[in-house]
Amino acid sequence: MPAELSWNRYGKCHVRLVKVRRSHDSHEIVDATLDVQLEGAFAPVYIDGDNTGCLATDTMKNTVYALARHDRLDHIERFALRLADHFAAKPLVSRVAISALEHHWSRVSVNGRPHPHAFTQTGGEHWTTKVTRDADGTRIASGLTNLNVLKTSDSAFAGFPRDELTTLAEADDRILATSVTATWTYRRGTTDFGVRERIRAVLLETFAAHVSRSVQDTLYAMATAALEACGELTHITISLPNRHHLLVDLKPFGLDNPNDVFVATDEPYGLIEATVKRT
Amino acid sequence: MPAELSWNRYGKCHVRLVKVRRSHDSHEIVDATLDVQLEGAFAPVYIDGDNTGCLATDTMKNTVYALARHDRLDHIERFALRLADHFAAKPLVSRVAISALEHHWSRVSVNGRPHPHAFTQTGGEHWTTKVTRDADGTRIASGLTNLNVLKTSDSAFAGFPRDELTTLAEADDRILATSVTATWTYRRGTTDFGVRERIRAVLLETFAAHVSRSVQDTLYAMATAALEACGELTHITISLPNRHHLLVDLKPFGLDNPNDVFVATDEPYGLIEATVKRT
Amino acid sequence: MPAELSWNRYGKCHVRLVKVRRSHDSHEIVDATLDVQLEGAFAPVYIDGDNTGCLATDTMKNTVYALARHDRLDHIERFALRLADHFAAKPLVSRVAISALEHHWSRVSVNGRPHPHAFTQTGGEHWTTKVTRDADGTRIASGLTNLNVLKTSDSAFAGFPRDELTTLAEADDRILATSVTATWTYRRGTTDFGVRERIRAVLLETFAAHVSRSVQDTLYAMATAALEACGELTHITISLPNRHHLLVDLKPFGLDNPNDVFVATDEPYGLIEATVKRT
Amino acid sequence: MPAELSWNRYGKCHVRLVKVRRSHDSHEIVDATLDVQLEGAFAPVYIDGDNTGCLATDTMKNTVYALARHDRLDHIERFALRLADHFAAKPLVSRVAISALEHHWSRVSVNGRPHPHAFTQTGGEHWTTKVTRDADGTRIASGLTNLNVLKTSDSAFAGFPRDELTTLAEADDRILATSVTATWTYRRGTTDFGVRERIRAVLLETFAAHVSRSVQDTLYAMATAALEACGELTHITISLPNRHHLLVDLKPFGLDNPNDVFVATDEPYGLIEATVKRT
C-alpha cells in the first residue's frame, strides 16, 4: 500500500530541572520542567528502522542537565534559546521547539525578613477543619495541607545504619523539600480560630531556621514550636513526604556538580509522620 | 449465613460552597468544600431496605446552603460546629463529622491598593515559555497559566440572542471566575524577559478594574492592556474558562438569596479564547 | 493603541451526556463528554461588548441534551455531525468544531451471560493488599478499588424522611452508578489468595442482579454475598460513592424525558460505607 | 515546654516494581506500586536527631527490588508477607505495614490467540471524535486515547549516534511500554463508523507482532497497518509516549538482573509522533 510519512516529531518531555545559585549571602533556586522536540529528516528512522540519525531522547535529557551547569538560568527564555541553538546544530534537524514550565518559589519570611535559603510555593495550599460530635462531646481539628517548602542548605542525613541492602550515601548538605500537611486539635472550649495564621507562620519559620539532621528531626521541631506558640493546641500531627532532589551525575560530561544541578523526583518518596502532644 | 453490620457511615461529600459578604465598601468571599458524614442506628436501611430513618444526602447538601445564608462564615470552624449541631439533633444519629477544605482568595492589588471585589488564588500558577527555531528564524512565546481570578461585582451578561433552546436568564451582576492562560509573542530581538512581571500585573489589574459585559469583553480588555503596557509584545493569546458560580435557589426553604450563596461548578464550563495583535 | 482581534473561538466544554436506550429485553448506554466550539464574525462581542450575536454557551449545553432526546446515538460521529449542522446554521458562525470523548461500558456477566441493564467500566481498577505485622501477629487485607459499575434499572430510593430542607423527589427507577472500593480481611492462616477473582465476580453479579432500595441496601447485599461465597473472609468493608445521574429537564424545549437523557455529575456525591463481618 | 512524641511512622511510598517472569513459551508480568511503613522505638530520631536506628527509606526501596529478584510474585500478598518478615526483624521495629496496588495487564489477542509477550491495560481508554464544519466542508477525525500497551520482548534500540553527551547503552531486548493516542481522518462521505473497532484491533495486533527497532519503527508499522486495514482512512496520526522501564542495578546486593526486575518511570518520557497518509 502506498503510504507517506507526512509529518513527524520526537523528543523528551518533562525533564525536571532544579538549579541552585549559591552566593555568600543567599541562595536562589530555579525550578522548571522542560520539553525538547525535534523535527527534521528523520524518515529513515520510521520507515527503515535506521537509527543512525536518531539522537536518543536520553541524550536530550543529559543535554538539559549538562548545559544547566554553567548557565545562570536567570531567565528561562535564555536557557531555552541556548538549548534551541544546541539542537538546531545537530544533523537532520530542521525545527527545534523547547518548552518550559517554570515553578515559582518565594522566600520564607522569618521575623519579617526573607530567609536566605528557605523557600515556599503557595500552589494548592488549603486550610482544613474537621468537627466531630458524638457522645463524648465535640472535637475540632484544624490544619493545612499542601504547604510546599524547600531549603537548599542546613539539611543533612547521616549516621543511619547500613545493612547489606543500603547504598545511600551520607549527606551533610542536601536539598530538603516537602509538602506539609498538619492537623492540630484545639483544647475544648476554644473559640479563637484565628490562631491558625500564627501556627502556619511558626511552621514555616521553624522549617526555615532549623538545622535539620533528618526529616524526623525537622518534623519534631515544627510540631513542638507550634505547640509552644499556641496554648490552645493539645496535639499536632504532621506528615512530611520527602520529595527527593537528586544530584545529577555530570562526570560523564567532564563536569563537576557542587550541589548545583538536581533532578526533582515524584516517586518513590519517603513519608514521615508523627503526633506530638502537650503533656 | 450469619452476618453482622459492624460499622456504617454515610453522608454527602464535596459540597461546593461560595459565600459573598457584601458591605458598602468592599466584598469578602468564603470558598469551601464540605463533607457531611453521619453514623448511628441506621442498620435497617442496610439490612431491611427500610429508608424511614435515612436522611437523604441531598438534604444534607441543601442544609449546607440554607444554613450558609444567615451565617457570617467568618471562621469555617464555627460553621462546621453549627452543621454538627444541626445533624446531631436528627433521629438515629450518634456521631456527626463535618470536614471542610477552605480555598483561600487574596485581593488583587490595583495601584498598590487591595481591590474591593476582585480576588486571586495563587495555587498552581506557572510561568511558561516556548522557543521555536527553524528556517524562518527564532520565535519566543512566553506566558502564564493557572492564574485564578474571581470578581464578585462589575460583571454582567445580557442582550444575547434567545433561540428555542435558550433558558439562561440575563445577569446584570454575576460572579465572574476564571483561570487565565496567556501566551504572548516577543518582537524579534527582545532580550528583556523581565517584562513578564509587568504583563502579569496588567492582566490582573485589568481583570479587576474592568466593568465586564461578557467574558469576551474582559478578555479583549486584558489583551489590549497587555499590548499597551509592553511594546515588546506583538501578539497575545488569552484563554478564559468561565468557571460558573450558580446562585443557589433557597426559596424552597423560605429564604431569599440576594447574590449571597453560590455553588461553584467544574463542568460544563464556557471557554473563551482570542488572539489580539498590535497593528 | 491600534490593535486587531486576529482570531477568536468560544464554546462550551465538558458537557456530560448519558443516554439510555431502552428496549423490551435490554438497555444500552451511551456515555460521552462533548465540547462545542464556534468561530465566526464575533468581533463586536469582544470589542464593543455587544452580545446581540453571542449565542450563550448555556444554550449550547441545552442543545446537546435536547438533540440527544430523539437521536439514537448509535455512533457518536453521527450525533456530532448533527450538532455541527445545527450550529453551522446560526448567524455569524463560520466554523463549528464538535469534540467528543466516549466512555465505553461493557455488560456485567452474570452466570456467563451478559446482563440486560448492568454495566461495568474497567478503567483504572486496581487490586490492593495490605499486610500488617506487629505483636498481635499478621493480618492480610486484600481488595479492589475503582471498579466502576452502573445499572439503568432495578434501583429506587423512596420512603426517606422529609424535613423542612428536603427537596429530593422519591425515585422508583433511577440510574445507580458507583465506583466500588472493597477491602476484605482473610482468616489467619489463609494461603489461597486466588479467591479474589471469585469475590470480584460475586460483587459484580450481586450489584447487577439485586433489586436496590438504596445504595446501603445494595452495599449490604454485595458484602454478605462476598462473605457467603468465600469462607476465608472474616470481614468486608465496602465504600460506594453515589455518582448521581440527574434526569435533564427538557420541558422548556417541549420535550418529555422518560428516563432517557441524563447529566452525569462528579460532585457533590453521596458516600456510603459499611463493614459486614461473619458471626 | 513539656511535649511528648505520642505516635510516629515512617517509610517509603510509591515504589514502582515491574517483574517479568520468562519461560520458554511466554512471559508473565507483575506490575505493582508498594509502600513500606514502619512503627517502633524511633523517638531518638525525632527528638535527638540520632539516626543510628533509622533505617533509610532508600534502603527500603532497595529491599523491594532485591527481594523481587528471586520471588515468583505469583500473589502480591505473599511478596508483601515476605517484605513484612524482613522489616519486622530489624531493630526497634514494632509494626510493619506493606501496602500494594497491583496493576493488571491482559494479554493482547492476535488472531484470536493470547500473545506470549504483549500486554494491554484497559484503564482509562476512551474513544474520541472531532467533527469540523466550515467553508471547506466537513471533516471527521476519530480515534482513541489512553490505550496502554507493553511488550517484554521484540523491542530494541541500537545504532543511534553518540555525541559527547550520550550515555544511553544500546539495548537489544528491552521493555517497550506506551499509551497509544491515535487519530484518523475519514474519507469524505464515510458513513460506516463501526470500523474503529477494526482499527483498534489492528493497532494492538501490530504492536504485539512487530519486531521493533525503535518506537518510531513501531509507530510507522502501526500506522501503515491501520491504513491498509481500512480503506476509509486517509490519514492517521499516532502519538506514543515512551514509558521507560529501567533495569534495576542489583549488583550492589550481589544479584544479577537478567531482564527481570524493572522500575517503571513516569517522567521524563520520550514522545514520538507522526502522521502517515495514504498516497
Side-chain angles (χ1 to χ4, degrees):
Chain A
M1 187 205 59
E4 184 194 338
L5 183 71
S6 59
W7 174 79
N8 72 85
R9 181 170 64 188
Y10 85 112
K12 198 71 155 193
C13 294
H14 282 220
V15 179
R16 292 285 292 111
L17 169 68
V18 172
K19 160 110 177 169
V20 180
R21 289 198 300 264
R22 296 163 192 272
S23 65
H24 181 68
D25 294 331
S26 75
H27 295 176
E28 288 178 89
I29 182 170
V30 179
D31 184 352
T33 299
L34 293 113
D35 293 356
V36 176
Q37 290 174 304
L38 305 185
E39 297 178 45
F42 296 110
V45 186
Y46 292 82
I47 297 170
D48 308 317
D50 173 358
N51 295 328
T52 53
C54 180
L55 188 72
T57 66
D58 187 75
T59 300
M60 300 178 194
K61 177 198 69 180
N62 287 346
T63 305
V64 170
Y65 292 117
L67 267 64
R69 173 65 185 96
H70 290 299
D71 195 291
R72 270 195 65 74
L73 273 156
D74 50 356
H75 285 295
I76 196 77
E77 284 88 349
R78 282 193 203 131
F79 184 59
L81 279 167
R82 206 175 143 204
L83 287 167
D85 285 349
H86 177 93
F87 291 113
K90 293 285 168 189
L92 310 183
V93 173
S94 61
R95 189 163 200 265
V96 179
I98 308 292
S99 303
L101 206 58
E102 196 175 344
H103 319 294
H104 185 68
W105 291 90
S106 311
R107 287 184 191 279
V108 172
S109 175
V110 177
N111 299 325
R113 281 186 311 211
H115 193 274
H117 60 251
F119 303 87
T120 186
Q121 224 175 25
T122 45
E125 185 183 342
H126 297 293
W127 288 111
T128 61
T129 199
K130 183 168 187 176
V131 170
T132 313
R133 162 160 299 192
D134 60 16
D136 293 334
T138 301
R139 285 169 303 289
I140 304 175
S142 290
L144 53 82
T145 189
N146 274 345
L147 171 60
N148 295 332
V149 287
L150 179 152
K151 60 195 292 182
T152 54
S153 193
D154 288 346
S155 166
F157 185 56
F160 49 87
R162 307 194 74 85
D163 68 13
E164 68 286 0
L165 295 168
T166 301
T167 54
L168 186 69
E170 307 224 325
D172 62 350
D173 191 19
R174 61 173 185 172
I175 286 184
L176 176 58
T178 188
S179 172
V180 182
T181 296
T183 310
W184 50 84
T185 306
Y186 288 109
R187 189 201 308 273
R188 302 219 170 191
T190 296
T191 56
D192 174 15
F193 301 109
V195 297
R196 63 187 198 178
E197 292 283 1
R198 187 146 39 103
I199 300 170
R200 182 184 185 278
V202 164
L203 292 173
L204 271 179
E205 289 179 13
T206 307
F207 174 83
H210 183 252
V211 178
S212 172
R213 289 165 294 186
S214 66
V215 179
Q216 286 89 334
D217 186 31
T218 298
L219 185 156
Y220 189 74
M222 292 167 73
T224 50
L227 290 175
E228 199 151 355
C230 300
E232 292 84 350
L233 310 192
T234 62
H235 299 72
I236 182 166
T237 297
I238 298 181
S239 172
L240 298 181
N242 191 350
R243 297 191 162 172
H244 308 296
H245 283 63
L246 309 177
L247 201 64
V248 180
D249 178 11
L250 300 177
K251 283 196 297 291
F253 320 126
L255 295 167
D256 63 349
N257 190 358
N259 257 357
D260 184 279
V261 177
F262 297 85
V263 53
T265 63
D266 275 346
E267 62 180 21
Y269 59 91
L271 182 61
I272 317 298
E273 304 166 285
T275 301
V276 180
K277 71 172 181 182
R278 189 184 306 279
T279 51
Chain B
M1 187 204 60
E4 185 194 339
L5 182 72
S6 60
W7 173 78
N8 71 85
R9 182 170 64 186
Y10 86 112
K12 199 70 155 193
C13 294
H14 282 219
V15 179
R16 292 284 292 112
L17 170 67
V18 171
K19 160 110 177 168
V20 181
R21 290 198 300 263
R22 296 164 191 272
S23 65
H24 183 67
D25 294 331
S26 75
H27 295 176
E28 287 177 273
I29 183 170
V30 179
D31 183 352
T33 300
L34 293 113
D35 293 356
V36 176
Q37 289 174 305
L38 305 185
E39 297 177 46
F42 296 110
V45 186
Y46 292 82
I47 297 171
D48 308 317
D50 173 358
N51 295 328
T52 53
C54 180
L55 187 73
T57 65
D58 188 75
T59 300
M60 299 177 194
K61 178 199 69 180
N62 288 346
T63 304
V64 169
Y65 291 117
L67 267 64
R69 173 64 186 99
H70 290 299
D71 194 290
R72 271 195 65 73
L73 273 156
D74 50 356
H75 286 292
I76 197 76
E77 285 88 348
R78 281 193 203 132
F79 184 59
L81 280 167
R82 206 175 142 203
L83 287 167
D85 285 348
H86 177 93
F87 291 112
K90 291 285 168 189
L92 309 183
V93 173
S94 60
R95 190 161 199 267
V96 179
I98 307 293
S99 303
L101 206 58
E102 197 175 345
H103 319 294
H104 186 68
W105 291 89
S106 310
R107 287 184 191 279
V108 172
S109 175
V110 177
N111 299 325
R113 280 187 312 212
H115 192 276
H117 61 251
F119 303 87
T120 186
Q121 224 176 24
T122 45
E125 185 182 343
H126 297 292
W127 288 111
T128 60
T129 198
K130 183 168 186 176
V131 170
T132 313
R133 162 159 299 192
D134 60 17
D136 292 335
T138 302
R139 286 168 304 289
I140 305 175
S142 292
L144 53 82
T145 189
N146 274 345
L147 171 60
N148 295 331
V149 288
L150 179 151
K151 59 196 292 183
T152 53
S153 194
D154 289 345
S155 167
F157 186 56
F160 50 87
R162 307 194 74 86
D163 68 12
E164 69 286 359
L165 295 169
T166 300
T167 54
L168 186 71
E170 307 223 324
D172 62 350
D173 190 19
R174 61 173 184 172
I175 285 183
L176 176 57
T178 189
S179 172
V180 181
T181 296
T183 310
W184 50 84
T185 306
Y186 287 108
R187 190 201 309 274
R188 303 216 171 192
T190 296
T191 55
D192 174 15
F193 302 109
V195 298
R196 63 186 198 179
E197 292 283 1
R198 187 145 41 103
I199 299 171
R200 182 184 186 278
V202 164
L203 291 173
L204 271 179
E205 289 178 12
T206 307
F207 175 84
H210 183 253
V211 178
S212 172
R213 289 164 294 186
S214 67
V215 178
Q216 286 89 334
D217 186 30
T218 298
L219 185 156
Y220 188 74
M222 292 166 73
T224 50
L227 290 175
E228 199 151 355
C230 298
E232 292 85 349
L233 310 194
T234 62
H235 299 71
I236 182 166
T237 298
I238 299 182
S239 172
L240 299 181
N242 191 350
R243 297 192 162 171
H244 308 295
H245 283 63
L246 310 177
L247 201 64
V248 181
D249 179 9
L250 300 176
K251 282 197 297 290
F253 321 125
L255 295 166
D256 62 350
N257 189 0
N259 257 357
D260 183 279
V261 177
F262 297 84
V263 52
T265 63
D266 275 345
E267 62 179 22
Y269 59 92
L271 181 62
I272 316 300
E273 303 166 284
T275 301
V276 180
K277 71 172 180 184
R278 188 183 309 276
T279 53
Chain C
M1 186 205 57
E4 183 194 341
L5 183 71
S6 60
W7 174 79
N8 71 85
R9 182 169 64 187
Y10 85 112
K12 198 72 155 192
C13 293
H14 282 219
V15 179
R16 293 283 293 112
L17 169 67
V18 171
K19 160 109 177 169
V20 180
R21 290 197 300 264
R22 297 164 192 272
S23 66
H24 182 67
D25 294 330
S26 76
H27 296 176
E28 288 177 273
I29 182 171
V30 179
D31 184 353
T33 300
L34 293 113
D35 293 357
V36 176
Q37 291 173 304
L38 306 185
E39 297 177 46
F42 296 110
V45 185
Y46 292 82
I47 297 170
D48 308 317
D50 173 358
N51 294 327
T52 54
C54 180
L55 188 72
T57 66
D58 188 74
T59 300
M60 300 178 194
K61 177 199 70 180
N62 288 346
T63 304
V64 170
Y65 292 118
L67 267 64
R69 173 66 186 98
H70 291 299
D71 194 291
R72 271 195 65 72
L73 272 157
D74 50 355
H75 286 294
I76 196 78
E77 284 89 349
R78 282 193 202 130
F79 183 59
L81 279 167
R82 205 174 144 206
L83 287 167
D85 285 349
H86 177 93
F87 291 112
K90 293 284 168 191
L92 310 182
V93 173
S94 60
R95 191 162 197 266
V96 179
I98 308 292
S99 303
L101 205 58
E102 196 176 344
H103 319 294
H104 185 67
W105 291 89
S106 312
R107 287 184 191 279
V108 173
S109 175
V110 177
N111 299 326
R113 282 185 313 209
H115 192 276
H117 61 251
F119 303 87
T120 185
Q121 223 177 24
T122 45
E125 185 183 342
H126 298 293
W127 288 110
T128 61
T129 199
K130 182 167 187 177
V131 170
T132 314
R133 161 159 298 192
D134 60 16
D136 293 334
T138 302
R139 285 168 304 288
I140 305 175
S142 291
L144 53 80
T145 188
N146 273 346
L147 171 60
N148 295 332
V149 288
L150 178 153
K151 60 195 296 183
T152 54
S153 193
D154 289 346
S155 166
F157 185 56
F160 49 86
R162 308 194 73 87
D163 67 13
E164 69 286 1
L165 294 169
T166 301
T167 54
L168 186 70
E170 307 224 325
D172 62 351
D173 191 19
R174 62 173 184 172
I175 286 184
L176 176 58
T178 189
S179 173
V180 181
T181 296
T183 310
W184 51 84
T185 306
Y186 287 109
R187 190 201 307 274
R188 303 219 169 189
T190 295
T191 56
D192 175 15
F193 302 107
V195 299
R196 65 187 198 178
E197 292 283 1
R198 187 145 40 100
I199 299 170
R200 182 184 186 278
V202 164
L203 291 173
L204 270 179
E205 289 179 13
T206 307
F207 175 83
H210 183 254
V211 178
S212 172
R213 290 164 293 187
S214 66
V215 178
Q216 285 89 334
D217 186 30
T218 298
L219 184 156
Y220 188 74
M222 292 167 73
T224 51
L227 290 174
E228 198 151 355
C230 298
E232 292 84 351
L233 310 192
T234 62
H235 299 71
I236 182 166
T237 298
I238 299 180
S239 171
L240 299 182
N242 190 352
R243 296 190 162 173
H244 308 295
H245 283 63
L246 309 177
L247 201 64
V248 180
D249 179 10
L250 301 176
K251 283 196 297 289
F253 321 125
L255 294 167
D256 63 350
N257 189 359
N259 256 358
D260 184 278
V261 177
F262 297 84
V263 54
T265 62
D266 276 345
E267 62 180 22
Y269 60 91
L271 182 61
I272 316 298
E273 303 166 286
T275 301
V276 180
K277 71 172 182 182
R278 190 183 306 278
T279 53
Chain D
M1 187 204 60
E4 182 194 341
L5 183 72
S6 60
W7 173 79
N8 71 85
R9 182 169 64 187
Y10 86 111
K12 197 72 156 192
C13 293
H14 280 219
V15 179
R16 292 284 293 112
L17 169 67
V18 171
K19 159 109 178 171
V20 180
R21 289 197 300 265
R22 297 165 191 272
S23 66
H24 183 67
D25 294 331
S26 75
H27 295 177
E28 288 177 273
I29 183 171
V30 179
D31 184 352
T33 300
L34 292 112
D35 292 357
V36 176
Q37 290 173 304
L38 305 185
E39 298 177 45
F42 296 110
V45 186
Y46 292 82
I47 296 171
D48 308 317
D50 172 359
N51 295 327
T52 54
C54 179
L55 188 72
T57 65
D58 188 74
T59 300
M60 300 178 194
K61 177 199 70 179
N62 287 346
T63 304
V64 169
Y65 292 117
L67 267 63
R69 173 65 186 98
H70 290 299
D71 194 291
R72 271 196 65 72
L73 272 158
D74 49 357
H75 285 293
I76 196 77
E77 285 88 348
R78 281 193 203 131
F79 184 60
L81 279 167
R82 208 176 140 203
L83 287 167
D85 285 349
H86 178 93
F87 291 112
K90 292 284 168 191
L92 309 183
V93 173
S94 61
R95 191 162 197 266
V96 179
I98 308 293
S99 302
L101 205 59
E102 197 176 345
H103 319 293
H104 185 67
W105 290 89
S106 311
R107 287 183 190 279
V108 172
S109 176
V110 177
N111 299 324
R113 280 187 313 212
H115 193 276
H117 61 252
F119 303 87
T120 187
Q121 223 177 25
T122 45
E125 185 183 342
H126 297 292
W127 288 111
T128 60
T129 199
K130 182 167 188 177
V131 170
T132 314
R133 162 160 299 192
D134 60 17
D136 293 334
T138 302
R139 287 169 303 290
I140 305 175
S142 291
L144 54 82
T145 189
N146 274 345
L147 171 60
N148 296 331
V149 288
L150 179 153
K151 60 195 293 183
T152 54
S153 194
D154 288 346
S155 167
F157 186 56
F160 49 87
R162 307 195 74 85
D163 67 13
E164 68 287 0
L165 294 169
T166 300
T167 54
L168 185 70
E170 307 224 326
D172 62 349
D173 191 19
R174 61 173 185 172
I175 286 184
L176 176 57
T178 189
S179 172
V180 182
T181 295
T183 310
W184 51 84
T185 306
Y186 288 109
R187 191 200 306 274
R188 302 217 171 191
T190 296
T191 57
D192 175 15
F193 302 107
V195 299
R196 64 186 198 178
E197 291 283 1
R198 187 144 41 100
I199 299 170
R200 182 183 185 278
V202 164
L203 292 173
L204 270 179
E205 289 178 12
T206 308
F207 174 84
H210 183 254
V211 178
S212 172
R213 289 164 294 186
S214 66
V215 178
Q216 286 89 335
D217 187 30
T218 298
L219 184 155
Y220 188 74
M222 292 167 73
T224 50
L227 289 175
E228 198 152 356
C230 298
E232 292 86 350
L233 310 192
T234 63
H235 298 72
I236 181 166
T237 297
I238 299 182
S239 172
L240 299 181
N242 191 351
R243 297 190 162 173
H244 309 296
H245 283 63
L246 309 177
L247 201 64
V248 181
D249 179 9
L250 301 177
K251 282 197 297 290
F253 321 126
L255 294 167
D256 63 350
N257 189 0
N259 257 358
D260 184 278
V261 177
F262 297 85
V263 53
T265 62
D266 275 346
E267 63 181 21
Y269 59 90
L271 181 62
I272 317 298
E273 303 166 286
T275 301
V276 180
K277 72 170 180 181
R278 189 183 307 278
T279 52

